[in-house]
Amino acid sequence: QIEYEAIQHEMEILKDRADELEERGLEWIDRADAAELQLPEVTRQLEEIESSAQTARAELDTKTTELKRIHDEAAQLQAPILEKISAGAISYYKRLRRAGRAPFVALVRRGACSGCGFRHPPQKLQEIKRGSKMMTCEQCGRIQVWQGDEEETVGF
């Protein structure tokens, strides 16, 4: 008797489990049917996106070609100028650019760096004014350039 009841109980559990699996299977079939109905719309949307991406790629290629042309023209214009600048100055400028400390060059105005406002001592101002070598700001590191026409007065 006990064995019979245990087997019946086990069969009920298995039947419940089979019913649960059947319901889940039907849910998955319904989901698959719904997805199949959505497939044409999703396919259409995908085709639109691919077309849009292809157009954007073509525009990007055109712009890239134009930028390369501009870059090449700029390089040709820079070449004669770069020949006149010392290798040390170019190297220093490139280090500033890599560090992202723009602007890289600052005018000297009223005895101070126009980039950070640091006031240069009179001797350094004279060296900057002479322009015989590259001078940098002690505070910000920018290359200092003397503006020729401006008459500097240094106050103490």
Side-chain angles (χ1 to χ4, degrees):
Q1 181 72 12
I2 295 177
E3 286 180 22
Y4 178 75
E5 287 177 11
I7 291 174
Q8 266 189 329
H9 179 70
E10 197 171 314
M11 287 182 64
E12 285 176 25
I13 291 174
L14 291 173
K15 183 179 176 190
D16 290 344
R17 178 71 178 141
D19 288 345
E20 180 185 320
L21 290 173
E22 185 178 348
E23 284 180 32
R24 287 180 62 192
L26 291 173
E27 284 178 27
W28 282 105
I29 289 171
D30 289 344
R31 285 183 181 181
D33 289 344
E36 198 171 322
L37 290 174
Q38 292 177 347
L39 185 61
E41 176 61 20
V42 171
T43 302
R44 184 193 63 74
Q45 290 175 351
L46 177 62
E47 289 170 355
E48 286 178 10
I49 291 170
E50 285 176 344
S51 174
S52 174
Q54 196 170 30
T55 302
R57 266 189 234 109
E59 289 176 17
L60 182 61
D61 289 344
T62 301
K63 288 179 181 180
T64 301
T65 302
E66 178 64 15
L67 285 174
K68 183 172 178 3
R69 184 190 63 74
I70 292 169
H71 178 270
D72 292 346
E73 285 179 17
Q76 287 176 348
L77 292 172
Q78 284 179 345
I81 297 169
L82 292 177
E83 290 173 1
K84 297 176 184 179
I85 301 173
S86 72
I90 292 172
S91 174
Y92 187 78
Y93 174 79
K94 287 180 179 179
R95 278 197 311 268
L96 287 176
R97 281 190 60 180
R98 277 194 301 274
R101 300 180 66 187
F104 316 113
V105 177
L107 293 175
V108 175
R109 293 192 180 126
R110 294 186 193 96
C113 170
S114 64
C116 68
F118 178 77
R119 295 193 68 72
H120 296 293
Q123 182 179 354
K124 184 153 186 175
L125 286 173
Q126 291 302 318
E127 290 178 33
I128 294 169
K129 188 175 185 177
R130 245 183 277 128
S132 58
K133 65 179 184 174
M134 182 182 77
M135 301 297 292
T136 60
C137 177
E138 295 172 19
Q139 184 72 31
C140 67
R142 291 180 175 101
I143 299 168
Q144 300 295 282
V145 176
W146 184 265
Q147 192 169 15
D149 296 333
E150 182 179 320
E151 187 61 37
E152 287 286 329
T153 56
V154 181
F156 293 99

